[in-house]
Amino acid sequence: MSSNNYTNKKNLNICVILVGLPCRGKTFISNKIKTYLTWVMINCKIFNIGDYRRKQLGNVLDEFINVDSDFYNAENVEALKIRLNSYEQALDDMTKWFQTNEGVAVLDGTSSTREHRKWLLERLRKQHIEPVFVESYCDDQELINLNIQELIKSSPDKKDFNFYEEKIKNYIKVYESLNQFEDEKDYTFVKLMKMSNGLEQAVINKVQSYLESKILFYVMNLNYLKPSKVIWLSRHGESVYNVEKKIGGDSRLSERGLLYARKIPKLLKEQGFDEENQMTAWTSTLVRTNETAQYLPFQQVLPWRALNELDAGLCDGMTYEEIEEKYPEDFKERDDNKFEYRYKGGESYKDVVLRLEPVMMELERQSNILIITHQAVLRCIYAYFMNIPQDQSPWVAIPLHTLIKLEVRPYGACKVTLIKANIPAVSTYKEKGTSSVGENSDITNNSSRNLLTDSL
Ligand SMILES: *[C@@H]1O[C@H](CO)[C@@H](O)[C@H](O)[C@H]1NC(C)=O
């Protein structure tokens, strides 16, 4: 799975370097970059300076137990040495990683002075790694406080508000924002600004490749420094084709499918949804998702062509048994590498992921969205939020007549709740190596996976 659609230059290795004061969403941004790149099949690894510092202090679990905020004081020479050392070790590990990997490394630290960034840049360039800086600049105290509260909430053993405030104060003394006019004008960077007067700006400087622009574009779409949000997902109700075990097509809902469509508003209500808070449904352009959305008490239902089911090409309208009989080699090939297998005249999961990119970008910006779409598409979306590797994502079982509630949090794992409608439906899950369908594994098998796998 080394090939991908973005790295057109050979050996193009990038290091994304986060810049900014503590509690500006840098770790959130780092984790998101990793999620996104992994999802589009680009190798990515995060090197978290905090982790290296904790290791050095012999305190793997928690820097905050031994280290008080004075540690971050610039005049604390001993501490400064430890911090610089953390960068050295992170860079050493990164160099090793690049010896066997092509892709993107993310350096998650504060990198808060020009001198330090210059040092990083020179060191990376020497190893033919191209640095890209991503700065999160925010002087909006309300947003920062909100972020501190989320941090405290996500880790019960960490210190209080006061500790973070002191830590930030110490960093502010030495912090220098990226400067696009003088000595940093030749750096590749994006500077994201959220200001107390409501101004939101991004300055982009010297983008040099398609992959760099993809990363920066993605980062600009992120709603960082925001509290948790909920996204609802559902497959369409059982369709006539589902009952006939046929794939693809554009059939209508079965009677049971219609019952499910009628029940969704009730399920949402039971979960605390009230019609006052405006929710939008996104569907595909196919009849079965349109019919599933028809009873929703929402102001807006938005059909996206990008949410249409994986195109099975010549196999559209066939059952798995028929496919196995007519195209035995293809059938096996698909089981062997389901993510990359492309139906004759149709699509692969990988194709679906690429066409879903704009949907995911929009999803990052939005909340209160219910997506009603199809099995393969939901697998791709689910894999994004749950960080499921792409060779496994096509095998995730997503049952019919079940509402999926995803709580996306800025720190920590994404929480999944399955809300069963208790309306019977056929199973459309196909195990590897067989052409018969039937539920076996379940989406919940994967729900222990974390959205944000790299710890703070
Ligand atoms: C379903 O499709 C019809 C016809 O295109 C459209 O008028 C209607 O608004 C759609 N309903 C929903 C819920 O999207």
Side-chain angles (χ1 to χ4, degrees):
M1 295 206 179
S2 55
S3 71
N4 61 61
N5 302 32
Y6 295 121
T7 45
N8 44 7
K9 271 196 233 164
K10 258 213 142 67
N11 302 319
L12 183 70
N13 291 327
I14 288 176
C15 175
V16 175
I17 300 163
L18 274 296
V19 175
L21 292 168
C23 306
R24 262 63 177 180
K26 295 188 303 300
T27 295
F28 173 79
I29 295 171
S30 302
N31 285 320
K32 279 291 187 180
I33 291 174
K34 180 176 173 187
T35 292
Y36 169 60
L37 291 177
T38 309
W39 193 67
V40 294
M41 308 287 285
I42 293 172
N43 280 327
C44 181
K45 187 166 169 64
I46 297 174
F47 298 85
N48 181 306
I49 296 304
D51 288 346
Y52 284 92
R53 186 173 55 234
R54 281 184 281 273
K55 252 185 241 161
Q56 279 192 80
L57 294 170
N59 180 6
V60 182
L61 284 179
D62 199 330
E63 67 179 290
F64 300 99
I65 293 170
N66 290 343
V67 180
D68 58 36
S69 54
D70 182 54
F71 179 80
Y72 301 97
N73 191 327
E75 280 142 40
N76 185 339
V77 179
E78 196 52 35
L80 206 67
K81 228 166 77 189
I82 290 177
R83 271 182 16 226
L84 209 59
N85 224 326
S86 309
Y87 275 92
E88 290 276 9
Q89 289 181 10
L91 289 175
D92 284 348
D93 282 354
M94 189 186 296
T95 307
K96 272 185 220 140
W97 185 75
F98 273 123
Q99 281 164 5
T100 49
N101 290 280
E102 225 174 59
V104 177
V106 179
L107 194 61
D108 180 13
T110 49
S111 298
S112 50
T113 66
R114 282 183 207 168
E115 193 192 337
H116 180 72
R117 292 192 289 270
K118 186 161 181 273
W119 173 76
L120 280 173
L121 178 115
E122 284 168 1
R123 224 192 115 145
L124 289 167
R125 286 243 168 101
K126 235 184 263 167
Q127 285 154 348
H128 309 288
I129 301 166
E130 194 48 37
V132 173
F133 296 91
V134 173
E135 178 173 7
S136 171
Y137 186 92
C138 175
D139 70 352
D140 184 336
Q141 203 53 47
E142 247 173 72
L143 280 183
I144 295 162
N145 291 350
L146 203 99
N147 199 43
I148 294 176
Q149 276 154 12
E150 288 283 344
L151 258 169
I152 294 171
K153 244 197 294 180
S154 69
S155 330
D157 50 358
K158 279 187 186 164
K159 288 207 178 165
D160 56 3
F161 214 86
N162 193 33
F163 166 80
Y164 287 101
E165 282 193 315
E166 286 299 315
K167 179 177 167 182
I168 293 170
K169 262 193 214 146
N170 280 326
Y171 269 102
I172 285 179
K173 290 182 203 153
V174 295
Y175 178 52
E176 295 163 306
S177 181
L178 279 160
N179 183 328
Q180 74 262 37
F181 300 112
E182 289 169 35
D183 41 345
E184 296 184 311
K185 66 180 187 306
D186 291 326
Y187 294 10
T188 300
F189 68 77
V190 62
K191 179 170 167 175
L192 306 164
M193 287 173 279
K194 283 190 202 267
M195 313 301 281
S196 51
N197 61 7
L199 213 63
E200 282 197 29
Q201 294 185 328
V203 174
I204 293 210
N205 200 58
K206 281 243 169 176
V207 179
Q208 307 189 69
S209 72
Y210 185 55
L211 179 54
E212 284 177 4
S213 75
K214 291 296 286 188
I215 296 168
L216 298 187
F217 179 70
Y218 175 73
V219 163
M220 281 169 55
N221 275 281
L222 284 177
N223 228 337
Y224 62 104
L225 294 179
K226 281 281 159 75
S228 319
K229 67 176 183 183
V230 175
I231 291 165
W232 303 86
L233 307 173
S234 176
R235 289 178 68 183
H236 54 77
E238 181 189 72
S239 72
V240 173
Y241 259 38
N242 288 152
V243 176
E244 294 169 352
K245 293 188 181 175
K246 290 178 181 163
I247 65 168
D250 193 12
S251 71
R252 304 194 58 167
L253 294 187
S254 71
E255 256 168 54
R256 297 191 299 193
L258 279 170
L259 282 179
Y260 175 65
R262 277 187 198 279
K263 195 157 181 188
I264 299 175
K266 188 165 164 263
L267 295 177
L268 287 169
K269 220 173 211 163
E270 284 166 8
Q271 293 296 313
F273 164 76
D274 89 65
E275 293 183 25
E276 300 293 294
N277 61 32
Q278 300 199 340
M279 195 133 122
T280 302
W282 294 354
T283 64
S284 71
T285 61
L286 299 172
V287 171
R288 53 196 187 276
T289 60
N290 172 296
E291 284 195 338
T292 307
Q294 66 184 313
Y295 303 114
L296 293 173
F298 300 173
Q299 300 214 319
Q300 214 188 4
V301 178
L302 204 70
W304 290 72
R305 200 166 188 279
L307 287 172
N308 283 9
E309 181 57 310
L310 187 148
D311 181 354
L314 293 182
C315 295
D316 189 84
M318 292 167 73
T319 66
Y320 285 121
E321 276 106 351
E322 286 165 357
I323 298 171
E324 189 178 23
E325 202 181 297
K326 196 162 175 196
Y327 305 109
E329 273 154 35
D330 280 74
F331 190 78
K332 181 165 183 316
E333 203 186 311
R334 184 158 199 264
D335 266 3
D336 289 345
N337 186 358
K338 197 171 175 186
F339 186 73
E340 298 201 36
Y341 171 79
R342 179 180 283 144
Y343 277 110
K344 284 182 202 302
E347 289 180 304
S348 65
Y349 270 85
K350 194 171 164 181
D351 294 329
V352 174
V353 160
L354 296 181
R355 77 162 138 92
L356 276 177
E357 270 191 69
V359 178
M360 302 317 285
M361 297 276 177
E362 193 54 27
L363 207 47
E364 285 294 351
R365 311 176 72 99
Q366 302 280 348
S367 54
N368 290 334
I369 301 285
L370 164 62
I371 302 181
I372 297 176
T373 175
H374 307 264
Q375 178 164 257
V377 177
L378 274 181
R379 281 171 172 156
C380 298
I381 295 174
Y382 190 76
Y384 175 90
F385 285 107
M386 302 307 288
N387 282 332
I388 295 171
Q390 292 296 30
D391 57 337
Q392 290 167 31
S393 62
W395 298 102
V396 174
I398 300 193
L400 282 167
H401 298 178
T402 306
L403 199 57
I404 301 169
K405 181 183 184 184
L406 278 184
E407 283 168 74
V408 186
R409 301 157 171 166
Y411 299 99
C414 183
K415 189 171 168 230
V416 187
T417 315
L418 294 188
I419 301 134
K420 301 237 176 228
N422 292 324
I423 296 168
V426 296
S427 167
T428 57
Y429 187 80
K430 188 191 90 63
E431 289 270 336
K432 209 175 204 163
T434 166
S435 60
S436 57
V437 284
E439 210 73 47
N440 206 332
S441 51
D442 200 83
I443 194 171
T444 46
N445 291 347
N446 293 304
S447 63
S448 58
R449 285 176 186 283
N450 292 344
L451 170 60
L452 304 171
T453 50
D454 292 79
S455 63
L456 288 164

